[in-house]
Amino acid sequence: MCRHPIVGDVVLTVAVTGAAIQVADPIGRAPAAVGYGLAAFTGLPLLVRRRFPAVVLVLTVLALSAFFVLRFQTSVGFFGPLVAAYTVAVDYTLPVSAGMVAVSLVITKLSVVLGHVEGWLDGLPHLLTQGILAVAIGHAVRSRRHSASRAKRAVTEERAWVARELHDVVGHHIAVVSVHANLAQRLLESDSGASSRALHAISSTSNESLDELRRLLHALRSNDELVGPASVSTGLLTSTVVDRLVRRIKAAGVPVNVRVVGTPRALPPALELCAYRVIQESLTNVVKHAEQATVDVCLDYQDDFFAASVANTGLPSSADPRTGRGLAGMRERANQCGGVVRCEPLASGGFRVDLRLPLMPEAMRSP
């Protein structure tokens, strides 16, 4: 692919136009200047073929048709309309481009008949073959570009997913470790028992963080073409996993109450991972940004949706949770699953995060 398309188009236009003038026979019903002008115009519009492919096809075909109607001759034909047909096939779907080229071939054939152009009256198979080749090559290029675009988009989505996972895993565990480390430092001399428990919590949290990072790295190193929620999401909303997360937050000095509405059940991997990370990030923000907080977590299992809310009554610290990437990451996760996240401060103080995920078939597929 040319790095500078405009340069390539200029070179192509000059070459095609020059060739058209070179092979044109200016003997016809009009002055020779008209013949040369029409021949040149079968190539000149190619300069803007990328911006206006359909218009360029129309202009080049009309110029060629006028050339034939005025009984001008050409020894080998003109390449401008063929290049325009190829460009249309690259930019438009196959049915549309094939239809436009078919109409162009009919107009060209009619102009040959009206002008009684010798040597071209029986040239329909030749014109048809050229048109089919132009459309086929253009459609092949279009398909290849779309495949490359899809692959690039998939890689971009994968990188974004990995970035969110690293942010949530590392951010959550480091925040908890920081709280326990500060606590252990304060109590090291005055309360050795509490200090020991804080150090134990640091060790446990660090090990859990390493386990999650190992799972993520294993998914990245696997032979799967792409990684996603199914690679690391295994029962993240079970009572065991949720209780472990809650105990970790409680050990950091934050009281947490959990309420479950409806009948708990397994969710599709994408939804399960999204819900767990939103809850995890919300609790992490309480540890990092709210002082003297009490947290209420609600998990709501309904037939057509799953909802989760995390509300705290703490006083905001100097750091605003809305200034980081955490809340934006929550919204990105929910959006990819067809859901929505609302984050807002409470009038009575504190902060609330609400997640709602649809349990529809299209939302159950992992990206």
Side-chain angles (χ1 to χ4, degrees):
M1 184 179 296
C2 181
R3 285 190 172 185
H4 305 285
I6 187 63
V7 176
D9 285 343
V10 169
V11 173
L12 177 65
T13 300
V14 171
V16 171
T17 303
I21 295 174
Q22 186 68 28
V23 300
D25 185 350
I27 300 176
R29 293 178 176 176
V34 175
Y36 283 127
L38 290 173
F41 209 71
T42 62
L44 289 175
L46 296 179
L47 192 61
V48 293
R49 67 188 182 92
R50 297 179 192 271
R51 294 187 61 187
F52 310 105
V55 174
V56 170
L57 177 63
V58 170
L59 293 177
T60 56
V61 169
L62 289 179
L64 178 63
S65 300
F67 184 88
F68 283 144
V69 168
L70 294 176
R71 294 190 177 181
F72 291 113
Q73 297 280 343
T74 174
S75 56
V76 296
F78 299 143
F79 296 106
L82 292 177
V83 176
Y86 158 82
T87 307
V88 164
V90 170
D91 278 30
Y92 293 89
T93 61
L94 182 59
V96 173
S97 59
M100 295 173 65
V101 173
V103 172
S104 300
L105 290 175
V106 171
I107 293 174
T108 302
K109 180 61 179 177
L110 288 176
S111 67
V112 169
V113 173
L114 291 175
H116 299 284
V117 181
E118 296 180 4
W120 286 84
L121 292 174
D122 299 323
L124 182 59
H126 179 66
L127 290 174
L128 186 60
T129 300
Q130 289 182 333
I132 291 175
L133 283 175
V135 172
I137 295 173
H139 180 67
V141 172
R142 173 185 172 86
S143 299
R144 187 183 65 181
R145 289 180 181 177
H146 279 206
S147 297
S149 176
R150 285 194 297 270
K152 183 177 180 180
R153 186 165 58 249
V155 170
T156 301
E157 291 174 355
E158 180 185 6
R159 291 178 62 184
W161 178 81
V162 171
R164 285 194 298 270
E165 283 298 291
L166 287 174
H167 172 276
D168 291 349
V169 171
V170 176
H172 168 75
H173 290 92
I174 292 300
V176 175
V177 166
S178 176
V179 169
H180 285 296
N182 291 333
L183 178 62
Q185 186 177 19
R186 289 199 303 268
L187 299 177
L188 189 58
E189 296 181 358
S190 60
D191 190 341
S192 60
S195 176
S196 177
R197 289 192 295 273
L199 291 173
H200 176 74
I202 290 175
S203 175
S204 175
T205 302
S206 300
N207 289 334
E208 289 182 19
S209 177
L210 289 173
D211 287 340
E212 290 201 50
L213 288 175
R214 286 191 190 100
R215 284 197 295 269
L216 180 58
L217 291 175
H218 175 74
L220 291 173
R221 291 169 178 168
S222 68
N223 293 326
D224 295 338
E225 184 176 348
L226 291 175
V227 298
S231 307
V232 297
S233 175
T234 52
L236 291 177
L237 289 184
T238 60
S239 58
T240 302
V241 177
V242 173
D243 287 345
R244 185 165 66 240
L245 173 63
V246 169
R247 285 198 305 271
R248 195 157 56 235
I249 300 300
K250 286 181 176 179
V254 180
V256 181
N257 302 310
V258 179
R259 182 168 62 95
V260 178
V261 179
T263 304
R265 61 187 184 278
L267 302 180
L271 303 190
E272 190 170 79
L273 182 62
C274 172
Y276 180 80
R277 292 304 188 205
V278 167
I279 296 170
Q280 183 186 56
E281 178 67 18
S282 300
L283 292 175
T284 303
N285 284 339
V286 175
V287 174
K288 292 166 60 178
H289 302 295
E291 299 176 356
Q292 302 174 2
T294 298
V295 183
D296 292 315
V297 178
C298 179
L299 307 179
D300 188 358
Y301 293 86
Q302 298 297 326
D303 292 336
D304 56 348
F305 71 88
F306 170 82
S309 66
V310 179
N312 75 82
T313 58
L315 300 174
S317 65
S318 57
D320 190 343
R322 292 170 291 182
T323 60
R325 281 289 304 164
L327 299 186
M330 292 185 199
R331 295 189 179 96
E332 290 172 2
R333 286 183 182 276
N335 183 62
Q336 285 190 342
C337 295
V340 63
V341 166
R342 291 195 311 166
C343 309
E344 56 187 4
L346 300 177
S348 57
F351 201 79
R352 181 184 180 94
V353 175
D354 290 299
L355 166 70
R356 184 184 176 98
L357 298 172
L359 298 180
M360 302 298 289
E362 59 268 23
M364 293 186 179
R365 295 193 297 266
S366 299

